[in-house]
Amino acid sequence: MEEIKTGVYICHCGLNIAGVVDVEEVAKYAGKLPGVIVSREYRYMCSDPGQDLIKNDIKELGVNRVVVAACSPRMHEPTFRKTVEDGGLNPYLYEHANIREHCSWVHDDKELATNKAKDLVRAAVRRVCRHEPLVVREVPFNPSVLVIGGGIAGMQAALDIANGHKKVYLVEREASIGGHMAQLDRTFPTLDCSECILTPKMSDVGHHPFIELHAYSEVEEVSGSIGSFKVKIRKKARYVDESKCVGCGDCEEKCPWKVPNEFEVGMAKRGVIYIPFAQAIPNVATIDKEHCVYLQKGKCRACEKACGANAIDFEQEDEIIEVEVGAIIVATGYDQFDPSVIGQYGYGRHDNVLTGLEFERLTCAAGPTEGKILMKDGREPQSVALVHCVGSRDQNYHEYCSRVCCMYALKYAHLAKEIAKADVYQFYIDMRCFGEGYEEFYNRLSEEGVNFIRGKVARITDEAITDEEQGKLVVVSEDTLLGKIIRVPVDMVILCSALEPRSDAENVGKILSINRRADGFFLERHVKLDPVATPTDGIFICGCCEAPRDIPDTVAQAGAAAGKVLSLMSKGTVTLEAATATVDESICHGCGRCEEICPFSAPKIVSKDGVLVSNINEALCKGCGSCAVVCPTGAIAIKHFTQDEILAQVEALTEVR
Amino acid sequence: MEVLTPYKEATDVILEAGGEHLKLCYQCGLCTGTCPWNLVRSFLVRRIMHEAQLGVVDFGSEDVWTCVTCRACVDRCPRGVEIIDVMRAIRRAVASLGIGAVPDALRISAKNIAGVGNPLGEPPEKRNDWAKDIKVKDFAKGTEILYFPCCIPSYDPGLKGVARSVAAILDKLKIDYGLIGTEVKCCGEAIRKAGYEETFQSLAQNNINLFNGSGVKTVVVSSPHCYHTFKTEYPELGGQFDVMHITQYLASLIDKGKLKLTKEINKKVIYSDPCYLGRHNEIYDEPRAILKAIPGLELLEFPDARENGLCCGGGGGRIWMDTPKGERFSDMRVEQAAAKGADIIAVACPYCALNYTDSVLSMGKEETMQVKDIAELVAEAM
């Protein structure tokens, strides 16, 4: 057996560790431990010179076991494993001791912290000598991707990957792709027509040879792991044959039953058989099963009679499609906050108090009023108020800022002036115009004569106390810059309602095994350095499902997620976890508990020479350890985390120094 | 030329006196917009927060004493600023450090409370005289319930009827209850809000020792102000008893079928949510349940009810101060009640009772509008 020659390296991490722990003392202490032939301390071990210290010692001193005492292994264990590998050693002959998150960052007493660091290093040194070299294997990465969500984020990600000639499965819950952006009229700050810039992308997605689009579908089940996810997609029955339907719309015209159109935010009706909007992709009709009188009660079939292409098929059933992909991109978007819970604003009680999306549909030429801004009674408003921060920046609803409302409020101010020639009063707390062209847009709106009033609106009332308030909605607020209560009578109020996580985000998270933050949006791997990845390998998030953002940032994020997936596809392989479970077949008696508990379906009970034993598929095993815990005979061990290694560590920790 | 400069010492004084939260304020102005004072005059709650942040509060201004602690602003503040605590901290700075002047009426009430244990300056030994002829027993160890009427119904001739109604109800139901000895003092809730922290501490200690020593387990109170301080402020000072407001108690008895209301009161009754029952302690349903259980009674609601209820103007110590005509919330409330066609304004707080009764009289509506405590209505309906 080779002689153990351990090198110990204590990192200062600037002052993060050295500010509390006496790193020189720890290094000196480590130098005297059995098996340690060299012990150093350095300011930033993860830097090039730091890593070089390790590599040189391996080359020149014959170090064959390495311990670095530094930050959390979640941070730099992979870094130093690579360093060790570059130095010529197996990367698993390395042990990482956490003396930052577990020591210097949580303790104030320098002497006690230093002693604790010594204990942690001693334990690491004791364990590292028991490490065995492990083989790191690669398995093929399935060069296809699932994108969940067909809004601008999902479509952009899909196009970026499909343009790289890699297969994309794009799943969209609604009858058409397009998402919320399809509902927008103009986009700030350029005031481009949203549909005009969106529909070319929608068309590209619809026709792309590398994109398999499943609209009116939902992801039902996901299993497997990075490189090989198995996905079950439920393609909901439209009761319309997609291959025959030409999207002429005759069926919708003849449908006698009308329900509120979700695309028009309830401000117009659609048929129970419908095409959500004129530029829908796929351009086919869908029967809304819940409201269809034939499907519910057996009467009608008017659409069938009206259809010239014979495309109606009431026998159609949901279809389950199973696909295998290497990675998944989540782009499920946002919901709009419902301001009816804020009683003082009167949404739902007063006519002419609208949310942002409702106003979008009014100004849109293809919308319910053909682009005219009209009040409930059909008149054009002579004055409009915009209320910022409805449900945002508010502990009572959502603490976060929804990021886009200041800008879309300015946009609405402009449209109210342009289309209705109305007086506009904008009630803000701050003006957040952070992006390209945003401050300039604010400047433009000032020039257009919008009245900016700094104050969070207290209430909107129809109780007039002066003549000029009669018949108007009165917006009451403190004008904080004047130090006076101001009452502004207007015809119409637009509430800048918050962007919030989708109501079913929890369910989506469960299906994909991804977590959400406290604010309800999906959790990224690292807020600054890895915003589109999740802690779950192979699953990426982009767009508003991660946090409220504007279109430029959403498109950029979608590209980022696509880039990450393309790089995985380009490499073509996935590095497997080497610290996997092993079965001692002489002790295993094939009870099957490991097979039951494994979240990755790695163990299978097989018959070997007539005896039942567990066989663990190393390609699927993630080394989580659940099987080892549940194994009643102790037949299962996890490589790199054997009883021997763990007990040695525990013994070392509990020794008197 | 006077220059405005931040004065850190003043900020520190306010922070230490309990105004920690003022750091959170981001000056949105929702508090000012919500505050009922701005219906009758200008009161810039937001500006006071900012002045406190910079230490430039005008301690001599009457604005220091304006807040009625109704909690409408706190409920809605998007940053969760405890504005009432900040107001209290500013008042504490004045009351204890003498850097401004306390309004006379308040000073006299404070002196009375500190001196004889009640704001009216009445002799302490007469506290239980309202019950003299109806033979209410003294509380002793083992008595199930302590009834604590509050200084106002105990001493005020106009409101003794409230206490007597409660006694009548409890007697009729044969509930085991008693009155605590006359060493008890004012609960201290309002004087604490007025900034007299030491006075409050001494009142609380007196009462806690008395209650704990007498083995008090449950207190039923008539005033939401007593309820509030007993429930939220006394426990951390050593109070070891439960407290129920009379409306909670009566509602639970009705619910269990133990209290049956059989006599009709064929009147239109409008209920005014007291700030300290409603917004402060989220008790909205029990008083309404009681009123709905009275046969013949038609329950009306104010246009702004429950969480939106308008304060009567009595909290924060302002019950002892004068509010000029034209600025009285209770006047506005009486107008609202009359507009709804109400015959009776039902109250569940002695301060509301005093203010609405005053308003009805000063507005000449005593022929058409009555003010009654819920307990009085229940006693009539038994």
PDB file of all heavy atoms in Angstrom, chain A residues 344 393-396 429 454-459 478 480 483 485, chain B residues 26-30 32-33 38 44 46 75-79 308:
ATOM      1  N   GLN A 344     -59.952  49.608  -1.408  1.00  0.00           N
ATOM      2  CA  GLN A 344     -59.947  51.070  -1.590  1.00  0.00           C
ATOM      3  C   GLN A 344     -59.829  51.491  -3.047  1.00  0.00           C
ATOM      4  O   GLN A 344     -60.079  52.639  -3.373  1.00  0.00           O
ATOM      5  CB  GLN A 344     -58.784  51.717  -0.814  1.00  0.00           C
ATOM      6  CG  GLN A 344     -59.076  51.934   0.653  1.00  0.00           C
ATOM      7  CD  GLN A 344     -58.876  50.669   1.431  1.00  0.00           C
ATOM      8  OE1 GLN A 344     -58.410  49.663   0.907  1.00  0.00           O
ATOM      9  NE2 GLN A 344     -59.228  50.701   2.695  1.00  0.00           N
ATOM     10  N   ARG A 393     -44.317  46.213  -4.129  1.00  0.00           N
ATOM     11  CA  ARG A 393     -43.622  47.035  -3.135  1.00  0.00           C
ATOM     12  C   ARG A 393     -44.518  47.236  -1.907  1.00  0.00           C
ATOM     13  O   ARG A 393     -44.526  48.297  -1.299  1.00  0.00           O
ATOM     14  CB  ARG A 393     -43.253  48.410  -3.725  1.00  0.00           C
ATOM     15  CG  ARG A 393     -42.387  48.358  -4.945  1.00  0.00           C
ATOM     16  CD  ARG A 393     -41.968  49.761  -5.385  1.00  0.00           C
ATOM     17  NE  ARG A 393     -41.091  50.345  -4.400  1.00  0.00           N
ATOM     18  CZ  ARG A 393     -40.749  51.630  -4.389  1.00  0.00           C
ATOM     19  NH1 ARG A 393     -41.202  52.455  -5.300  1.00  0.00           N
ATOM     20  NH2 ARG A 393     -39.935  52.086  -3.449  1.00  0.00           N
ATOM     21  N   ASP A 394     -45.263  46.183  -1.585  1.00  0.00           N
ATOM     22  CA  ASP A 394     -46.253  46.317  -0.526  1.00  0.00           C
ATOM     23  C   ASP A 394     -46.275  45.050   0.298  1.00  0.00           C
ATOM     24  O   ASP A 394     -46.623  43.986  -0.205  1.00  0.00           O
ATOM     25  CB  ASP A 394     -47.630  46.566  -1.162  1.00  0.00           C
ATOM     26  CG  ASP A 394     -48.671  47.015  -0.153  1.00  0.00           C
ATOM     27  OD1 ASP A 394     -48.582  46.624   1.026  1.00  0.00           O
ATOM     28  OD2 ASP A 394     -49.592  47.753  -0.551  1.00  0.00           O
ATOM     29  N   GLN A 395     -45.876  45.188   1.571  1.00  0.00           N
ATOM     30  CA  GLN A 395     -45.814  44.012   2.437  1.00  0.00           C
ATOM     31  C   GLN A 395     -47.132  43.273   2.526  1.00  0.00           C
ATOM     32  O   GLN A 395     -47.160  42.099   2.846  1.00  0.00           O
ATOM     33  CB  GLN A 395     -45.440  44.443   3.850  1.00  0.00           C
ATOM     34  CG  GLN A 395     -43.983  44.663   4.010  1.00  0.00           C
ATOM     35  CD  GLN A 395     -43.570  44.554   5.437  1.00  0.00           C
ATOM     36  OE1 GLN A 395     -44.398  44.370   6.320  1.00  0.00           O
ATOM     37  NE2 GLN A 395     -42.298  44.657   5.685  1.00  0.00           N
ATOM     38  N   ASN A 396     -48.237  43.999   2.276  1.00  0.00           N
ATOM     39  CA  ASN A 396     -49.540  43.356   2.404  1.00  0.00           C
ATOM     40  C   ASN A 396     -49.845  42.438   1.228  1.00  0.00           C
ATOM     41  O   ASN A 396     -50.759  41.626   1.309  1.00  0.00           O
ATOM     42  CB  ASN A 396     -50.646  44.416   2.511  1.00  0.00           C
ATOM     43  CG  ASN A 396     -50.445  45.323   3.706  1.00  0.00           C
ATOM     44  OD1 ASN A 396     -50.309  44.850   4.820  1.00  0.00           O
ATOM     45  ND2 ASN A 396     -50.380  46.623   3.472  1.00  0.00           N
ATOM     46  N   ILE A 429     -44.575  56.460  -6.824  1.00  0.00           N
ATOM     47  CA  ILE A 429     -43.749  56.655  -5.633  1.00  0.00           C
ATOM     48  C   ILE A 429     -42.311  56.906  -6.097  1.00  0.00           C
ATOM     49  O   ILE A 429     -41.613  57.751  -5.578  1.00  0.00           O
ATOM     50  CB  ILE A 429     -43.775  55.414  -4.716  1.00  0.00           C
ATOM     51  CG1 ILE A 429     -45.213  55.000  -4.416  1.00  0.00           C
ATOM     52  CG2 ILE A 429     -43.029  55.682  -3.431  1.00  0.00           C
ATOM     53  CD1 ILE A 429     -45.305  53.693  -3.633  1.00  0.00           C
ATOM     54  N   ARG A 454     -46.405  62.721  -7.081  1.00  0.00           N
ATOM     55  CA  ARG A 454     -45.728  61.726  -6.261  1.00  0.00           C
ATOM     56  C   ARG A 454     -46.561  61.415  -5.021  1.00  0.00           C
ATOM     57  O   ARG A 454     -46.667  62.220  -4.111  1.00  0.00           O
ATOM     58  CB  ARG A 454     -44.334  62.197  -5.849  1.00  0.00           C
ATOM     59  CG  ARG A 454     -43.592  61.066  -5.160  1.00  0.00           C
ATOM     60  CD  ARG A 454     -42.266  61.471  -4.551  1.00  0.00           C
ATOM     61  NE  ARG A 454     -41.662  60.302  -3.946  1.00  0.00           N
ATOM     62  CZ  ARG A 454     -41.997  59.819  -2.752  1.00  0.00           C
ATOM     63  NH1 ARG A 454     -42.904  60.440  -2.026  1.00  0.00           N
ATOM     64  NH2 ARG A 454     -41.411  58.731  -2.277  1.00  0.00           N
ATOM     65  N   GLY A 455     -47.126  60.225  -4.998  1.00  0.00           N
ATOM     66  CA  GLY A 455     -47.898  59.811  -3.830  1.00  0.00           C
ATOM     67  C   GLY A 455     -48.548  58.474  -4.105  1.00  0.00           C
ATOM     68  O   GLY A 455     -49.002  58.223  -5.225  1.00  0.00           O
ATOM     69  N   LYS A 456     -48.580  57.609  -3.140  1.00  0.00           N
ATOM     70  CA  LYS A 456     -49.252  56.321  -3.320  1.00  0.00           C
ATOM     71  C   LYS A 456     -50.738  56.548  -3.091  1.00  0.00           C
ATOM     72  O   LYS A 456     -51.153  57.017  -2.029  1.00  0.00           O
ATOM     73  CB  LYS A 456     -48.713  55.295  -2.324  1.00  0.00           C
ATOM     74  CG  LYS A 456     -49.267  53.891  -2.551  1.00  0.00           C
ATOM     75  CD  LYS A 456     -48.560  52.873  -1.674  1.00  0.00           C
ATOM     76  CE  LYS A 456     -49.286  51.547  -1.668  1.00  0.00           C
ATOM     77  NZ  LYS A 456     -49.033  50.747  -2.857  1.00  0.00           N
ATOM     78  N   VAL A 457     -51.535  56.186  -4.084  1.00  0.00           N
ATOM     79  CA  VAL A 457     -52.968  56.484  -4.033  1.00  0.00           C
ATOM     80  C   VAL A 457     -53.625  55.811  -2.832  1.00  0.00           C
ATOM     81  O   VAL A 457     -53.448  54.632  -2.589  1.00  0.00           O
ATOM     82  CB  VAL A 457     -53.657  56.011  -5.335  1.00  0.00           C
ATOM     83  CG1 VAL A 457     -55.165  56.071  -5.217  1.00  0.00           C
ATOM     84  CG2 VAL A 457     -53.184  56.885  -6.490  1.00  0.00           C
ATOM     85  N   ALA A 458     -54.377  56.614  -2.047  1.00  0.00           N
ATOM     86  CA  ALA A 458     -55.050  56.090  -0.860  1.00  0.00           C
ATOM     87  C   ALA A 458     -56.380  55.437  -1.230  1.00  0.00           C
ATOM     88  O   ALA A 458     -56.711  54.380  -0.733  1.00  0.00           O
ATOM     89  CB  ALA A 458     -55.273  57.189   0.158  1.00  0.00           C
ATOM     90  N   ARG A 459     -57.161  56.081  -2.103  1.00  0.00           N
ATOM     91  CA  ARG A 459     -58.415  55.472  -2.511  1.00  0.00           C
ATOM     92  C   ARG A 459     -58.953  56.100  -3.788  1.00  0.00           C
ATOM     93  O   ARG A 459     -58.572  57.194  -4.179  1.00  0.00           O
ATOM     94  CB  ARG A 459     -59.464  55.549  -1.404  1.00  0.00           C
ATOM     95  CG  ARG A 459     -59.889  56.948  -1.052  1.00  0.00           C
ATOM     96  CD  ARG A 459     -60.830  56.962   0.161  1.00  0.00           C
ATOM     97  NE  ARG A 459     -61.008  58.312   0.635  1.00  0.00           N
ATOM     98  CZ  ARG A 459     -60.142  58.961   1.403  1.00  0.00           C
ATOM     99  NH1 ARG A 459     -59.059  58.347   1.812  1.00  0.00           N
ATOM    100  NH2 ARG A 459     -60.373  60.202   1.753  1.00  0.00           N
ATOM    101  N   GLU A 478     -51.947  61.714  -1.081  1.00  0.00           N
ATOM    102  CA  GLU A 478     -51.152  62.844  -0.644  1.00  0.00           C
ATOM    103  C   GLU A 478     -50.181  63.151  -1.768  1.00  0.00           C
ATOM    104  O   GLU A 478     -49.509  62.252  -2.272  1.00  0.00           O
ATOM    105  CB  GLU A 478     -50.356  62.530   0.632  1.00  0.00           C
ATOM    106  CG  GLU A 478     -49.590  63.768   1.114  1.00  0.00           C
ATOM    107  CD  GLU A 478     -48.529  63.505   2.170  1.00  0.00           C
ATOM    108  OE1 GLU A 478     -48.379  62.356   2.620  1.00  0.00           O
ATOM    109  OE2 GLU A 478     -47.840  64.467   2.541  1.00  0.00           O
ATOM    110  N   THR A 480     -46.971  64.125  -2.089  1.00  0.00           N
ATOM    111  CA  THR A 480     -45.933  64.233  -1.061  1.00  0.00           C
ATOM    112  C   THR A 480     -44.974  65.387  -1.334  1.00  0.00           C
ATOM    113  O   THR A 480     -44.363  65.910  -0.409  1.00  0.00           O
ATOM    114  CB  THR A 480     -45.125  62.923  -0.954  1.00  0.00           C
ATOM    115  OG1 THR A 480     -44.463  62.689  -2.182  1.00  0.00           O
ATOM    116  CG2 THR A 480     -46.041  61.751  -0.633  1.00  0.00           C
ATOM    117  N   GLY A 483     -46.959  68.302  -0.116  1.00  0.00           N
ATOM    118  CA  GLY A 483     -47.380  68.184   1.270  1.00  0.00           C
ATOM    119  C   GLY A 483     -48.852  68.505   1.439  1.00  0.00           C
ATOM    120  O   GLY A 483     -49.252  69.148   2.397  1.00  0.00           O
ATOM    121  N   ILE A 485     -53.059  66.925   0.534  1.00  0.00           N
ATOM    122  CA  ILE A 485     -53.924  65.903  -0.042  1.00  0.00           C
ATOM    123  C   ILE A 485     -54.450  66.458  -1.361  1.00  0.00           C
ATOM    124  O   ILE A 485     -54.886  67.615  -1.433  1.00  0.00           O
ATOM    125  CB  ILE A 485     -55.125  65.591   0.872  1.00  0.00           C
ATOM    126  CG1 ILE A 485     -54.653  65.024   2.196  1.00  0.00           C
ATOM    127  CG2 ILE A 485     -56.102  64.646   0.181  1.00  0.00           C
ATOM    128  CD1 ILE A 485     -54.323  63.562   2.169  1.00  0.00           C
TER     129      ILE A 485
ATOM    130  N   TYR B  26     -40.708  54.626   3.351  1.00  0.00           N
ATOM    131  CA  TYR B  26     -40.156  55.130   2.093  1.00  0.00           C
ATOM    132  C   TYR B  26     -40.967  56.266   1.502  1.00  0.00           C
ATOM    133  O   TYR B  26     -40.890  56.546   0.317  1.00  0.00           O
ATOM    134  CB  TYR B  26     -39.870  54.007   1.087  1.00  0.00           C
ATOM    135  CG  TYR B  26     -41.004  53.182   0.487  1.00  0.00           C
ATOM    136  CD1 TYR B  26     -42.328  53.565   0.474  1.00  0.00           C
ATOM    137  CD2 TYR B  26     -40.681  51.964  -0.121  1.00  0.00           C
ATOM    138  CE1 TYR B  26     -43.301  52.788  -0.103  1.00  0.00           C
ATOM    139  CE2 TYR B  26     -41.655  51.166  -0.713  1.00  0.00           C
ATOM    140  CZ  TYR B  26     -42.970  51.592  -0.699  1.00  0.00           C
ATOM    141  OH  TYR B  26     -43.945  50.795  -1.281  1.00  0.00           O
ATOM    142  N   GLN B  27     -41.745  56.947   2.391  1.00  0.00           N
ATOM    143  CA  GLN B  27     -42.342  58.228   2.041  1.00  0.00           C
ATOM    144  C   GLN B  27     -43.345  58.151   0.891  1.00  0.00           C
ATOM    145  O   GLN B  27     -43.424  59.059   0.071  1.00  0.00           O
ATOM    146  CB  GLN B  27     -41.225  59.236   1.692  1.00  0.00           C
ATOM    147  CG  GLN B  27     -40.393  59.637   2.898  1.00  0.00           C
ATOM    148  CD  GLN B  27     -41.170  60.504   3.850  1.00  0.00           C
ATOM    149  OE1 GLN B  27     -41.523  61.636   3.538  1.00  0.00           O
ATOM    150  NE2 GLN B  27     -41.473  59.978   5.036  1.00  0.00           N
ATOM    151  N   CYS B  28     -44.127  57.079   0.843  1.00  0.00           N
ATOM    152  CA  CYS B  28     -45.075  56.974  -0.257  1.00  0.00           C
ATOM    153  C   CYS B  28     -46.290  57.867  -0.057  1.00  0.00           C
ATOM    154  O   CYS B  28     -46.967  58.223  -1.010  1.00  0.00           O
ATOM    155  CB  CYS B  28     -45.530  55.534  -0.458  1.00  0.00           C
ATOM    156  SG  CYS B  28     -46.589  54.892   0.843  1.00  0.00           S
ATOM    157  N   GLY B  29     -46.601  58.191   1.213  1.00  0.00           N
ATOM    158  CA  GLY B  29     -47.729  59.078   1.469  1.00  0.00           C
ATOM    159  C   GLY B  29     -49.072  58.387   1.622  1.00  0.00           C
ATOM    160  O   GLY B  29     -50.098  59.046   1.776  1.00  0.00           O
ATOM    161  N   LEU B  30     -49.087  57.050   1.603  1.00  0.00           N
ATOM    162  CA  LEU B  30     -50.363  56.345   1.733  1.00  0.00           C
ATOM    163  C   LEU B  30     -50.990  56.625   3.103  1.00  0.00           C
ATOM    164  O   LEU B  30     -52.205  56.737   3.248  1.00  0.00           O
ATOM    165  CB  LEU B  30     -50.150  54.843   1.551  1.00  0.00           C
ATOM    166  CG  LEU B  30     -51.422  53.990   1.518  1.00  0.00           C
ATOM    167  CD1 LEU B  30     -52.340  54.431   0.412  1.00  0.00           C
ATOM    168  CD2 LEU B  30     -51.068  52.523   1.347  1.00  0.00           C
ATOM    169  N   THR B  32     -50.832  59.387   4.926  1.00  0.00           N
ATOM    170  CA  THR B  32     -51.517  60.677   4.902  1.00  0.00           C
ATOM    171  C   THR B  32     -52.849  60.558   4.172  1.00  0.00           C
ATOM    172  O   THR B  32     -53.879  61.066   4.637  1.00  0.00           O
ATOM    173  CB  THR B  32     -50.651  61.744   4.198  1.00  0.00           C
ATOM    174  OG1 THR B  32     -49.359  61.762   4.779  1.00  0.00           O
ATOM    175  CG2 THR B  32     -51.294  63.112   4.297  1.00  0.00           C
ATOM    176  N   GLY B  33     -52.818  59.868   3.025  1.00  0.00           N
ATOM    177  CA  GLY B  33     -54.029  59.723   2.226  1.00  0.00           C
ATOM    178  C   GLY B  33     -55.106  58.944   2.957  1.00  0.00           C
ATOM    179  O   GLY B  33     -56.293  59.156   2.733  1.00  0.00           O
ATOM    180  N   ASN B  38     -57.337  63.971   7.504  1.00  0.00           N
ATOM    181  CA  ASN B  38     -57.279  64.743   6.266  1.00  0.00           C
ATOM    182  C   ASN B  38     -58.637  64.937   5.621  1.00  0.00           C
ATOM    183  O   ASN B  38     -58.748  65.577   4.578  1.00  0.00           O
ATOM    184  CB  ASN B  38     -56.271  64.129   5.300  1.00  0.00           C
ATOM    185  CG  ASN B  38     -54.854  64.316   5.816  1.00  0.00           C
ATOM    186  OD1 ASN B  38     -54.357  65.427   5.921  1.00  0.00           O
ATOM    187  ND2 ASN B  38     -54.221  63.220   6.190  1.00  0.00           N
ATOM    188  N   LEU B  44     -50.147  65.750   7.929  1.00  0.00           N
ATOM    189  CA  LEU B  44     -49.243  65.013   7.046  1.00  0.00           C
ATOM    190  C   LEU B  44     -48.466  63.966   7.830  1.00  0.00           C
ATOM    191  O   LEU B  44     -47.343  64.197   8.279  1.00  0.00           O
ATOM    192  CB  LEU B  44     -48.289  65.983   6.345  1.00  0.00           C
ATOM    193  CG  LEU B  44     -48.980  67.102   5.569  1.00  0.00           C
ATOM    194  CD1 LEU B  44     -47.935  68.008   4.912  1.00  0.00           C
ATOM    195  CD2 LEU B  44     -49.921  66.549   4.499  1.00  0.00           C
ATOM    196  N   ARG B  46     -47.028  61.320   6.813  1.00  0.00           N
ATOM    197  CA  ARG B  46     -45.789  60.978   6.125  1.00  0.00           C
ATOM    198  C   ARG B  46     -44.677  61.955   6.465  1.00  0.00           C
ATOM    199  O   ARG B  46     -43.540  61.580   6.685  1.00  0.00           O
ATOM    200  CB  ARG B  46     -46.034  60.980   4.603  1.00  0.00           C
ATOM    201  CG  ARG B  46     -44.769  60.853   3.767  1.00  0.00           C
ATOM    202  CD  ARG B  46     -44.936  61.474   2.398  1.00  0.00           C
ATOM    203  NE  ARG B  46     -45.438  62.824   2.479  1.00  0.00           N
ATOM    204  CZ  ARG B  46     -44.688  63.888   2.616  1.00  0.00           C
ATOM    205  NH1 ARG B  46     -43.373  63.792   2.693  1.00  0.00           N
ATOM    206  NH2 ARG B  46     -45.242  65.089   2.683  1.00  0.00           N
ATOM    207  N   ASP B  75     -52.414  49.577   9.057  1.00  0.00           N
ATOM    208  CA  ASP B  75     -53.007  48.462   8.316  1.00  0.00           C
ATOM    209  C   ASP B  75     -52.564  48.449   6.873  1.00  0.00           C
ATOM    210  O   ASP B  75     -52.415  47.404   6.266  1.00  0.00           O
ATOM    211  CB  ASP B  75     -54.538  48.606   8.323  1.00  0.00           C
ATOM    212  CG  ASP B  75     -55.181  47.586   9.249  1.00  0.00           C
ATOM    213  OD1 ASP B  75     -54.454  46.919  10.003  1.00  0.00           O
ATOM    214  OD2 ASP B  75     -56.408  47.459   9.208  1.00  0.00           O
ATOM    215  N   ARG B  76     -52.393  49.630   6.282  1.00  0.00           N
ATOM    216  CA  ARG B  76     -52.171  49.707   4.853  1.00  0.00           C
ATOM    217  C   ARG B  76     -50.740  50.044   4.464  1.00  0.00           C
ATOM    218  O   ARG B  76     -50.404  50.006   3.298  1.00  0.00           O
ATOM    219  CB  ARG B  76     -53.152  50.711   4.261  1.00  0.00           C
ATOM    220  CG  ARG B  76     -54.593  50.358   4.627  1.00  0.00           C
ATOM    221  CD  ARG B  76     -55.616  51.044   3.770  1.00  0.00           C
ATOM    222  NE  ARG B  76     -55.308  50.826   2.384  1.00  0.00           N
ATOM    223  CZ  ARG B  76     -55.432  51.733   1.422  1.00  0.00           C
ATOM    224  NH1 ARG B  76     -55.887  52.936   1.714  1.00  0.00           N
ATOM    225  NH2 ARG B  76     -55.109  51.452   0.183  1.00  0.00           N
ATOM    226  N   CYS B  77     -49.916  50.392   5.434  1.00  0.00           N
ATOM    227  CA  CYS B  77     -48.556  50.815   5.091  1.00  0.00           C
ATOM    228  C   CYS B  77     -47.819  49.704   4.345  1.00  0.00           C
ATOM    229  O   CYS B  77     -47.696  48.598   4.851  1.00  0.00           O
ATOM    230  CB  CYS B  77     -47.783  51.165   6.357  1.00  0.00           C
ATOM    231  SG  CYS B  77     -46.044  51.501   6.027  1.00  0.00           S
ATOM    232  N   PRO B  78     -47.298  50.004   3.131  1.00  0.00           N
ATOM    233  CA  PRO B  78     -46.640  48.944   2.359  1.00  0.00           C
ATOM    234  C   PRO B  78     -45.299  48.515   2.924  1.00  0.00           C
ATOM    235  O   PRO B  78     -44.763  47.478   2.550  1.00  0.00           O
ATOM    236  CB  PRO B  78     -46.455  49.576   0.973  1.00  0.00           C
ATOM    237  CG  PRO B  78     -46.531  51.034   1.189  1.00  0.00           C
ATOM    238  CD  PRO B  78     -47.399  51.260   2.374  1.00  0.00           C
ATOM    239  N   ARG B  79     -44.726  49.285   3.828  1.00  0.00           N
ATOM    240  CA  ARG B  79     -43.448  48.887   4.412  1.00  0.00           C
ATOM    241  C   ARG B  79     -43.630  48.286   5.804  1.00  0.00           C
ATOM    242  O   ARG B  79     -42.667  47.894   6.427  1.00  0.00           O
ATOM    243  CB  ARG B  79     -42.517  50.106   4.503  1.00  0.00           C
ATOM    244  CG  ARG B  79     -41.663  50.311   3.247  1.00  0.00           C
ATOM    245  CD  ARG B  79     -40.480  49.382   3.229  1.00  0.00           C
ATOM    246  NE  ARG B  79     -39.705  49.397   2.029  1.00  0.00           N
ATOM    247  CZ  ARG B  79     -38.620  50.120   1.836  1.00  0.00           C
ATOM    248  NH1 ARG B  79     -38.204  50.938   2.787  1.00  0.00           N
ATOM    249  NH2 ARG B  79     -37.945  50.043   0.706  1.00  0.00           N
ATOM    250  N   ASN B 308     -62.570  49.352   7.399  1.00  0.00           N
ATOM    251  CA  ASN B 308     -62.573  50.733   6.913  1.00  0.00           C
ATOM    252  C   ASN B 308     -63.305  51.684   7.848  1.00  0.00           C
ATOM    253  O   ASN B 308     -63.513  52.835   7.509  1.00  0.00           O
ATOM    254  CB  ASN B 308     -63.244  50.779   5.535  1.00  0.00           C
ATOM    255  CG  ASN B 308     -62.486  49.934   4.531  1.00  0.00           C
ATOM    256  OD1 ASN B 308     -61.265  49.911   4.546  1.00  0.00           O
ATOM    257  ND2 ASN B 308     -63.208  49.205   3.704  1.00  0.00           N
TER     258      ASN B 308
END
